[in-house]
Amino acid sequence: MVQNVFRSGFLVRVAHTLLTWIITVILFLHNTSLRRCEEQGELLLPALFFLLVVLSVLLYFAVSLMDPGFVLTDTVKGAQSPNEEMEAMIPQSSTARARRCGYCLLQQPMRAKHCHMCKRCVHRFDHHCPWIENCVGERNHRWFIIYLLVQLLTLLWGLHVALSGISPALTWEQWFRVNGFLLAALCIVGIFSVVVVLLLGSHLYLISINCTTWEFMSRHRISYLKTCKDEENPFDRGIFCNLWDFFCICRTVMWEKVYHRNTLNPV
């Protein structure tokens, strides 16, 4: 983990953390609803907001440092090769044939992709997120969504707090002088709120149809989706089942079996 901290994403994570705490300090120091609660001795809301900020930062680091599901090997010592097991259980076809990565030379499971930023293949690759400087894949995608939910709640609360601290003044010059830092915080929080809403909404939609960002954006280039109809998704089990599997089922899925079951027995 120590090595992960000092990768190229170190500066991104430091900048995110510093910006988070600078904005938090601004919200507590100005005459906002949080500051007024403190002055009146009502510490519950300030404490809850502070804990929510801490939780969002911890989740940020957990997601950014977590193994997204790197494909480590295509053989298991003392056991049958996963490809041999797959061939024994799954009918082989030209559209779903396992392929070897041209970069790391490992056998790629279905829905895996090589990330050129991480220089590794990732199970159920979704995308490489520059915000966390890590891939979003099979192992951390669920935690990425939870982080976005917590971050959105923190941002919306921070937006409300910043608006509550805007003070009137006699002239525009005095108004900007009094509210300058709050206005800067308000702009930053507002921009991040819009970004997180769009990001969270798009991910929840893709999760509900059991599709990844990579599959959605590059469908025409993915071999196992080329033969499917334009609106057909061989991994879609319905909105409820897709959401249940994503949020409640913690297991590794052999997508080759799902693919063949749905393509050979279409509903």
Side-chain angles (χ1 to χ4, degrees), residues 75 93 194 247 264:
T75 58
S93 67
V194 173
F247 288 105
L264 295 177

Side-chain angles (χ1 to χ4, degrees), residues 3-184:
Q3 292 179 347
N4 288 338
V5 172
F6 290 100
R7 290 187 309 179
S8 60
F10 174 71
L11 292 179
V12 174
R13 297 183 183 111
V14 169
H16 174 88
T17 305
L18 286 177
L19 188 61
T20 299
W21 288 115
I22 288 172
I23 292 175
T24 302
V25 169
I26 291 174
L27 296 180
F28 272 97
L29 290 181
H30 280 73
N31 187 30
T32 61
S33 57
L34 293 178
R35 180 67 178 271
R36 291 192 289 270
C37 284
E38 289 181 22
E39 292 174 349
Q40 295 170 7
E42 300 173 0
L43 301 180
L44 179 60
L45 288 180
L48 287 177
F49 181 78
F50 179 79
L51 290 175
L52 193 62
V53 173
V54 171
L55 178 61
S56 71
V57 172
L58 291 177
L59 283 172
Y60 172 81
F61 276 95
V63 174
S64 63
L65 298 178
M66 187 182 295
D67 177 359
F70 292 127
V71 179
L72 301 178
T73 180
D74 55 4
T75 58
V76 180
K77 290 184 179 180
Q80 187 181 20
S81 166
N83 294 324
E84 293 175 2
E85 294 179 1
M86 188 185 302
E87 290 172 1
M89 293 186 292
I90 303 171
Q92 295 295 302
S93 67
S94 58
T95 58
R97 186 173 299 151
R99 62 184 296 271
R100 190 169 291 277
C101 176
Y103 297 94
C104 58
L105 303 180
L106 293 175
Q107 202 82 30
Q108 282 186 339
M110 185 172 284
R111 308 190 83 180
K113 182 184 179 296
H114 185 87
C115 174
H116 294 283
M117 299 295 292
C118 295
K119 301 185 183 344
R120 308 277 290 277
C121 284
V122 180
H123 286 280
R124 196 184 177 275
F125 176 84
D126 188 88
H127 72 290
H128 182 91
C129 180
W131 187 359
I132 63 174
E133 270 301 317
N134 194 13
C135 283
V136 176
E138 189 173 56
R139 292 191 62 182
N140 69 344
H141 198 171
R142 182 186 297 107
W143 288 104
F144 181 70
I145 298 301
I146 294 173
Y147 162 68
L148 289 180
L149 287 168
V150 173
Q151 185 68 65
L152 180 59
L153 180 59
T154 307
L155 288 169
L156 293 179
W157 195 351
L159 202 62
H160 169 74
V161 172
L163 286 171
S164 71
I166 300 296
S167 303
L170 296 176
T171 64
W172 283 108
E173 183 180 353
Q174 291 178 344
W175 188 80
F176 278 111
R177 188 183 302 118
V178 171
N179 300 302
F181 286 106
L182 268 181
L183 287 174

